[in-house]
């Protein structure tokens, strides 16, 4: 006999099948949608494979153990649902945990009943049965200086349609999206949206892990499936032994639903806010000046910094961050690790620079790449091998750097001492934590699989970050990894700011800035604004506009700028601070669709109950007209404070914009 379990949160309703087979999740809908009409796909809620219990397929669905799991019990409250299943031949017990936030957060816990053990090679965080694969998939490529490149694919185009009847097999293909290595977003984002092509229904998800992850789609006889997972054996050389006393928990994932792409990203925005650990200091949301982009580029000295500090204070920056190079004596890439100030760059000591920042009532910040030790650094000889990621007993060395293993007490002590010293000695209130070296597949130290060693290190890194912020509650930390190569919500659920790119060309930064809210909260999206002195007014304005719809991350040679250029910077900061007042309540939408890398016109709306901010970029030279499907509103220029050669008019419920500038240009409008 089939029973349906319907668990409802304030936002979502999840429907499960409980019968004499494995538990199945057959519907994820908005809580307000009526019950009934749910399909009954055959896809199990949990897929699990183990040594000696594998299956002959590239895809992770259809596992032997997954099909043999049987419902044991469930416990539910208003905020949490736990469904327990067991597989009697192996003693495997899995618990699927669902946590109500703005959407739903889920993960899987596994252990063994009684004696014995099991070597897991794959365990899903969540598997959802799909009634149909007639849908469009939105996913994003992500690479250094070319982040957030969204695209749309029809799922049927990548999953072969073959004969399906009792005498023929269903296609065994899959569409897989995989993140590898320690750069969780080094190639693709762990975020996706599936939009049904026949009904107003869309499903969104994110995998919340600062290391390897995997999701895949496939077809079965009664529909299809979406599987969300952390590391696996097949993709990441991951396995782990579980026993009654040594359980395992997967990485968490989040689910939301909507009617279209924009409503799903609005729901993901609310979910990200719900899972984020927000401290009182995070409410400050300062404007940070950083000396790197299009400015000093890793070559700071006292002589170069002092006039920049004065100029940053004059335009109204709140924090001043000294970026890479402050520790460098000559070639520094493979000598880092001690994190002591250079004596040649700062003849009177770094304190002279830091004191100037304090004198201007700004908070000093500093760049640090904590997870690496240069192979030529004296610290490399002082720390034991246990402090580093190793393979077969040898330290992992990547591009002249050893990689610290944050499970090691010696590694953590070294980093704690470094951070505490910089905070105590200089009053550092902001760290830009960078990460420019990938780990490879992991470490087998302690007899673990490579992938599980990396997973344990990833989790130890999160624990280390939590401990820092507990010791230093007024410290803000920026998350950076060669730009946005580790832009995930394991990191961002606990850190203040995300560098969205290392891109230095303002025209190329526009699609990165515009698409950033699909991956990261607007109030965490550190979009560089680095105007270049001597450029035209439109070029100068364009660079500033890139930073306004998010967290404007200011850079540029302010000390070389003309009075008119500095006035424009001040005007941009005033406009940005007005956005900051509302930013933590705004949700993104894209009136022209998610931006493509080569689009001439790009539009991002940040919408609230009473006010919206519409940012428009026109990247082609010469006049152009664009029509945006936006309800009629009271509209005013926000930045610049006049539209210049741009005009607008309402045509029913559409906004017609005319850009009459002879060169690329950008504007921010305020709508009420």
């Amino acid at each position: 006999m089939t029973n349906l379990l319907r668990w409802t949160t304030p936002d979502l309703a999840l429907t499960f099948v409980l019968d004499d087979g494995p538990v199945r999740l057959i519907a994820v809908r908005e809580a307000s949608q009526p019950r009934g009409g749910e399909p009954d796909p055959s896809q199990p809620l949990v897929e699990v494979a183990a040594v000696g219990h594998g299956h002959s397929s590239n895809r992770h669905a259809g596992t032997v153990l997954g099909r043999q799991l049987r419902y044991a019990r469930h416990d539910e409250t208003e905020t949490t649902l736990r469904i327990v299943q067991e597989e009697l031949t192996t003693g495997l017990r899995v618990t699927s945990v669902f946590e109500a936030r703005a959407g739903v957060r889920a993960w899987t816990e596994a252990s063994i009943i009684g004696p014995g053990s099991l070597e897991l090679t794959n365990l899903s965080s969540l598997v959802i049965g799909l009634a149909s694969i007639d849908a469009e998939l939105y996913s994003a490529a992500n690479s250094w200086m070319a982040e957030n490149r969204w695209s749309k694919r029809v799922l049927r185009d990548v999953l072969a349609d073959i004969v399906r009847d009792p005498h023929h097999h269903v296609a065994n293909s899959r569409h897989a999206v995989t993140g590898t290595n320690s750069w969780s977003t080094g190639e693709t984002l762990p975020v996706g949206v599936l939009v049904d092509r026949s009904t107003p229904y869309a499903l969104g998800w994110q995998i919340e892990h600062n290391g390897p992850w995997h999701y895949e789609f496939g077809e079965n006889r009664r529909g299809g499936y979406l599987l969300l997972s952390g590391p696996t054996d097949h993709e990441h050389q991951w396995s782990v032994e579980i026993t009654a006393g040594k359980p395992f928990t997967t990485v968490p994932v989040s689910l939301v639903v909507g009617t279209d792409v924009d409503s799903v990203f609005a729901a993901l925005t609310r979910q990200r806010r719900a899972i984020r650990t927000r401290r009182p200091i995070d409410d400050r949301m300062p404007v940070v000046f950083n000396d790197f982009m299009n400015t000093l580029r890793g070559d700071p000295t006292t002589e170069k910094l002092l006039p920049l500090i004065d100029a940053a204070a004059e335009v109204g920056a709140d924090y001043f961050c000294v970026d890479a190079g402050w520790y460098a004596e000559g070639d520094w890439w493979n000598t880092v690790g001690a994190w002591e100030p250079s004596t040649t760059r700062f003849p009177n000591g770094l304190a002279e620079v830091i004191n100037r920042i304090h004198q201007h009532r700004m908070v000093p910040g500093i760049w640090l790449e904590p997870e690496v030790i240069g192979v030529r650094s004296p610290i490399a000889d002082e720390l034991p091998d246990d402090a580093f990621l190793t393979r077969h007993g040898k330290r992992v060395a990547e591009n002249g750097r050893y990689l610290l293993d944050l499970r090691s007490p010696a590694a953590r002590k070294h980093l704690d001492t470094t951070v505490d010293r910089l905070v105590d000695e200089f009053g550092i209130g902001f760290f830009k934590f960078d990460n420019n070296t990938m780990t490879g597949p992991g470490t087998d130290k302690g007899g673990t699989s490579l992938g599980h060693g990396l997973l344990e290190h990833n989790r130890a890194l999160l624990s280390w970050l939590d401990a820092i912020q507990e010791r230093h509650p007024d410290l803000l930390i920026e998350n950076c990894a060669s730009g946005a190569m580790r832009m995930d919500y394991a990191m961002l659920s606990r850190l203040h700011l995300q560098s969205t790119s290392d891109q230095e060309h303002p025209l190329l930064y526009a699609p990165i800035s515009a698409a950033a809210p699909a991956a990261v909260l607007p109030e965490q999206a550190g979009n560089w604004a680095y105007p270049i002195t001597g450029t035209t007014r439109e070029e100068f304005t364009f660079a500033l506009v890139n930073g306004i719809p998010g967290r404007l991350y200011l850079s540029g040679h302010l000390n070389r700028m003309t009075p008119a250029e500095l006035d424009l910077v001040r005007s941009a900061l005033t406009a940005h601070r007005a956005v900051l007042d509302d930013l933590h309540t705004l949700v993104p939408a894209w009136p022209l669709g998610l931006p493509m890398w080569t689009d001439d016109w790009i539009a991002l709306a940040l919408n609230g109950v009473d006010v919206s901010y519409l940012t428009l970029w026109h990247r082609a030279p010469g006049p152009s007209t664009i029509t945006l499907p936006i309800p009629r509103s009271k509209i005013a220029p926000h930045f610049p404070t006049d539209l210049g050669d741009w005009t607008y008019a309402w045509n029913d419920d559409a906004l017609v914009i005319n850009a009459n500038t002879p060169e690329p240009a950008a504007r921010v409008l305020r709508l009420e």
Side-chain angles (χ1 to χ4, degrees):
M1 181 176 178
T2 298
N3 295 311
L4 294 182
L5 168 63
R6 193 170 192 262
W7 184 63
T8 303
T9 78
D11 297 279
L12 296 182
L14 279 62
T15 304
F16 303 86
V17 174
L18 310 179
D19 57 13
D20 56 359
V23 177
R24 282 99 71 199
L25 173 57
I26 63 169
V28 182
R29 302 184 184 279
E30 291 181 334
S32 59
Q33 288 184 313
R35 178 178 174 178
E38 286 100 348
D40 186 12
S42 57
Q43 174 58 51
L45 171 63
V46 176
E47 293 286 6
V48 54
V51 173
H53 302 273
H55 68 302
S56 298
S57 174
N58 283 327
R59 65 185 190 176
H60 295 296
T63 55
V64 174
L65 290 177
R67 292 196 304 268
Q68 293 175 179
L69 287 169
R70 293 298 181 264
Y71 170 79
R73 64 182 181 276
H74 73 275
D75 304 294
E76 62 178 297
T77 68
E78 291 184 358
T79 58
T80 306
L81 170 67
R82 299 175 63 88
I83 300 176
V84 181
Q85 299 184 80
E86 296 174 352
E87 202 285 316
L88 296 181
T89 62
T90 59
L92 173 65
R93 173 182 287 160
V94 297
T95 303
S96 298
V97 184
F98 299 86
E99 183 181 71
R101 297 293 184 101
V104 165
R105 207 178 195 206
W107 61 88
T108 305
E109 300 168 354
S111 65
I112 294 294
I113 307 167
S117 65
L118 198 62
E119 181 88 8
L120 300 181
T121 56
N122 171 52
L123 179 63
S124 62
S125 296
L126 180 63
V127 191
I128 307 155
L130 304 174
S132 168
I133 61 165
D134 182 21
E136 295 169 339
L137 171 64
Y138 290 79
S139 60
N142 207 62
S143 58
W144 184 45
M145 297 195 293
E147 289 87 348
N148 302 317
R149 301 193 319 278
W150 287 87
S151 61
K152 177 179 70 175
R153 303 186 73 174
V154 176
L155 206 52
R156 174 52 76 196
D157 290 345
V158 293
L159 294 176
D161 189 9
I162 66 174
V163 175
R164 286 190 295 168
D165 62 38
H167 303 288
H168 294 85
H169 291 290
V170 177
N172 201 29
S173 60
R174 66 174 182 173
H175 176 66
V177 182
T178 303
T180 62
N181 223 292
S182 55
W183 276 1
S184 58
T185 58
E187 293 182 296
T188 53
L189 295 183
V191 184
V193 178
L194 194 67
V195 180
D196 195 291
R197 303 180 77 192
S198 58
T199 61
Y201 176 81
L203 177 69
W205 64 89
Q206 64 181 21
I207 301 172
E208 295 155 6
H209 181 45
N210 56 329
W213 52 268
H214 175 81
Y215 71 80
E216 69 181 41
F217 294 93
E219 190 171 11
N220 52 39
R221 288 196 177 277
R222 306 179 69 177
Y225 70 90
L226 165 63
L227 181 145
L228 306 175
S229 173
T232 72
D233 183 33
H234 185 74
E235 281 81 14
H236 310 108
Q237 303 180 49
W238 175 88
S239 66
V240 65
E241 183 184 61
I242 60 171
T243 65
K246 190 170 69 172
F248 172 73
T249 300
T250 68
V251 305
V253 301
S254 281
L255 284 183
V256 297
V257 299
T259 56
D260 56 19
V261 171
D262 281 353
S263 65
V264 163
F265 280 120
L268 270 174
T269 299
R270 291 187 288 269
Q271 173 71 353
R272 289 164 183 159
R273 287 177 178 141
I275 67 173
R276 183 184 175 200
T277 301
R278 191 178 176 96
R279 302 165 298 146
I281 189 63
D282 289 308
D283 294 335
R284 187 172 186 188
M285 293 204 290
V287 172
V288 181
F289 181 93
N290 182 294
D291 67 35
F292 189 88
M293 205 67 74
N294 275 338
T295 313
L296 302 187
R297 303 196 77 254
D299 189 26
T301 64
T302 301
E303 181 181 11
K304 293 176 181 178
L305 284 169
L306 293 183
L308 266 181
I309 293 167
D310 295 343
E314 184 183 349
V315 299
D318 303 302
Y319 283 43
F320 189 103
C321 181
V322 180
D323 207 281
W326 58 271
Y327 42 81
E329 307 285 1
D331 181 20
W332 54 265
W333 178 263
N334 59 10
T335 61
V336 296
W339 307 116
E340 296 284 354
S342 166
T343 56
T344 57
R345 292 178 179 275
F346 310 108
N348 299 322
L350 180 62
E352 180 182 10
V353 171
I354 299 299
N355 288 340
R356 182 70 68 92
I357 297 171
H358 284 300
Q359 288 166 11
H360 283 295
R361 299 185 182 277
M362 293 188 293
V363 175
I366 208 160
W367 180 97
L368 200 67
E369 194 172 4
E371 296 161 70
V372 300
I373 301 290
V375 297
R376 292 177 51 231
S377 170
I379 304 297
D381 295 327
E382 295 174 14
L383 289 173
D385 287 342
D386 179 68
F388 299 92
L389 300 179
T390 59
R391 293 182 67 172
H392 306 301
K394 296 181 179 179
R395 296 181 183 183
V396 174
E398 294 290 334
N399 198 20
R401 274 112 173 270
Y402 296 127
L403 307 167
L404 289 174
D405 187 336
L406 270 295
R407 298 174 297 178
S408 162
R412 290 179 71 133
K413 181 179 179 181
H414 165 68
L415 293 186
D416 285 341
T417 301
T418 298
V419 169
D420 294 349
R421 169 173 52 83
L422 292 170
V423 171
D424 295 341
E425 183 175 350
F426 298 111
I428 297 298
F430 179 90
F431 276 106
K432 176 180 179 178
F433 279 172
D434 210 342
N435 177 251
N436 297 299
T437 309
M438 294 184 288
T439 59
T443 175
D444 55 12
K445 189 171 65 179
T448 69
S449 64
L450 288 171
H452 193 66
L454 180 57
L455 175 64
E456 290 183 335
H457 161 71
N458 294 143
R459 288 173 164 171
L461 169 61
L462 300 178
S463 170
W464 176 69
L465 292 171
D466 291 341
I468 288 177
Q469 295 183 120
E470 187 173 334
R471 291 200 310 277
H472 304 290
D474 292 331
L475 181 67
L476 296 181
I477 300 176
E478 172 195 345
N479 184 41
C480 183
S482 288
M485 300 297 97
R486 196 162 62 183
M487 183 170 56
D488 60 75
Y489 265 84
M491 299 292 285
L492 289 173
S493 65
R494 49 190 27 96
L495 299 184
H496 180 75
L497 191 68
Q498 171 66 53
S499 178
T500 56
S501 186
D502 277 354
Q503 176 56 248
E504 289 190 289
H505 196 298
L507 290 183
L508 294 181
Y509 212 120
I512 297 171
S513 176
V520 59
L521 285 173
E523 61 265 34
Q524 291 181 291
N527 297 325
W528 288 90
Y530 36 63
I532 303 170
T533 185
T535 55
T536 69
R537 184 177 177 86
E538 289 294 0
E539 290 172 326
F540 199 92
T541 298
F542 198 108
L544 288 167
V545 166
N546 285 338
I548 288 176
R551 292 292 299 281
L552 189 150
Y553 202 8
L554 185 62
S555 195
H557 287 285
L558 301 178
N559 55 308
R560 301 178 185 175
M561 290 181 181
T562 66
E565 290 172 336
L566 289 174
D567 283 344
L568 201 53
V569 174
R570 292 189 194 95
S571 177
L573 293 192
T574 298
H576 177 59
R577 285 195 166 95
V579 177
L580 285 180
D581 288 341
D582 301 304
L583 196 56
H584 66 286
T585 66
L586 303 180
V587 296
W590 293 269
L592 299 176
L594 286 163
M596 301 293 105
W597 188 247
T598 58
D599 283 351
D600 288 345
W601 275 101
I602 295 170
L604 167 65
L606 294 176
N607 296 326
V609 175
D610 300 315
V611 64
S612 296
Y613 296 93
L614 175 64
T615 306
L616 297 164
W617 295 264
H618 181 229
R619 296 195 293 169
S624 181
T625 299
I626 193 72
T627 300
L628 298 96
I630 293 176
R632 187 180 293 265
S633 311
K634 179 183 176 182
I635 190 169
H638 189 66
F639 180 77
T641 52
D642 64 86
L643 287 177
D645 292 331
W646 285 37
T647 62
Y648 69 88
W650 291 102
N651 182 5
D652 296 326
D653 275 346
L655 178 63
V656 181
I657 299 287
N658 295 291
N660 298 309
T661 50
E663 57 185 317
R667 301 287 188 268
V668 183
L669 306 177
R670 179 184 171 98
L671 286 73
E672 295 181 355

